[in-house]
Amino acid sequence: MDQKVYELLNGIPEEADYAVSAGDLDPEDIPLNRIEAVKELLLDTVGDDERFFAAKLLTSWGIHEGLVALERSMESPESLEGTYSHRLHGYDDTYCQILMAVTKYFANVADRGDTDLARAQVFSPLTKIIELSNSKPFEIGKIFDFVVNEKYLEYLPYIRNHLSLIIDHPDIHRSKIYDAIECLLKLDSKFVMSLLKEKNKTVEDFRPSVAR
């Protein structure tokens, strides 16, 4: 990636000292010409990495073309593996990063007054992320927070299935099991208690004992 493209995808204006990354920028700090330049990277047939990073950034900014391209990239999960690694455990964390971009997308579009539209647009990528997390170790706590805060009950079948699939594999999923339990205790406690009874477990059996 050349310096010009790197700066386009990662640069933070001096006045935007609140931002940790370019994806955190407020709309007023993202000039239209920068948005258009990042969109052009989606059409680049040379660099798969550049297209992915461009799609993720546009998604974070609430640009629909980015969300569409990002979801398209998820159709081949193996092609994205290794883009990001978890800072402590070292497993592939790419889909957690995608999740953060999609939830930022929702927030930005909702801030523009299009909450119902955003709700519909993020459903497919978020449910795909839940399904991928059924067999991979990356965390999806931001989805649980999103569902609980917004009370979007259309995600409940996916979260129930997620917990059912991971509860017997604490060696892989660690604190994800407890996160899913906490989420469902707020939205469907009967399901949680029934599943725990079936497994002869309690909530405390899954409570994390150390920081992540």
Side-chain angles (χ1 to χ4, degrees):
M1 184 183 302
D2 65 37
Q3 186 60 36
K4 181 179 179 181
V5 173
Y6 180 86
E7 186 62 26
L8 181 64
L9 294 174
N10 297 282
I12 300 174
E14 289 185 8
E15 63 273 16
D17 56 0
Y18 59 86
V20 175
S21 70
D24 298 328
L25 291 172
D26 291 337
E28 58 269 23
D29 291 319
I30 312 169
L32 182 59
N33 63 342
R34 183 175 183 181
I35 293 174
E36 294 303 319
V38 178
K39 284 183 181 179
E40 288 180 11
L41 292 178
L42 297 181
L43 306 176
D44 183 2
T45 58
V46 178
D48 290 341
D49 287 347
E50 291 179 5
R51 281 201 303 275
F52 169 69
F53 290 129
K56 188 167 75 71
L57 182 58
L58 289 169
T59 300
S60 296
W61 289 346
I63 308 298
H64 189 239
E65 292 95 323
L67 182 70
V68 171
L70 193 60
E71 185 172 8
R72 189 182 304 123
S73 74
M74 292 167 58
E75 294 172 1
S76 302
E78 66 281 352
S79 67
L80 300 178
E81 287 182 4
T83 305
Y84 294 93
S85 296
H86 190 277
R87 59 187 177 84
L88 293 179
H89 301 297
Y91 56 72
D92 181 61
D93 210 29
T94 304
Y95 282 91
C96 186
Q97 298 297 318
I98 292 174
L99 166 56
M100 288 192 284
V102 175
T103 53
K104 287 178 183 177
Y105 177 90
F106 175 87
N108 276 307
V109 176
D111 284 347
R112 298 199 294 262
D114 291 324
T115 302
D116 289 342
L117 176 64
R119 178 179 185 173
Q121 289 175 336
V122 302
F123 180 76
S124 178
L126 289 182
T127 52
K128 285 181 180 177
I129 290 170
I130 294 172
E131 290 173 339
L132 284 166
S133 181
N134 291 340
S135 59
K136 297 179 182 294
F138 68 87
E139 298 179 3
I140 57 171
K142 283 191 175 293
I143 291 181
F144 301 146
D145 293 341
F146 171 72
V147 171
V148 169
N149 292 339
E150 302 296 335
K151 294 181 173 59
Y152 287 168
L153 302 186
E154 62 266 34
Y155 291 89
L156 277 180
Y158 296 88
I159 299 174
R160 292 189 197 106
N161 185 56
H162 174 70
L163 179 58
S164 297
L165 291 172
I166 70 174
I167 195 167
D168 291 327
H169 304 284
D171 54 321
I172 297 173
H173 297 289
R174 300 184 177 89
S175 58
K176 285 169 58 180
I177 300 171
Y178 183 74
D179 290 344
I181 287 172
E182 273 204 315
C183 172
L184 287 171
L185 280 174
K186 296 171 183 175
L187 300 173
D188 190 357
S189 60
K190 288 183 179 179
F191 173 84
V192 175
M193 301 316 295
S194 175
L195 182 61
L196 289 173
K197 183 178 180 180
E198 175 190 327
K199 300 295 181 180
N200 196 27
K201 297 287 187 180
T202 69
V203 175
E204 292 304 314
D205 289 324
F206 298 101
R207 187 182 298 275
S209 58
V210 295
R212 299 176 195 177

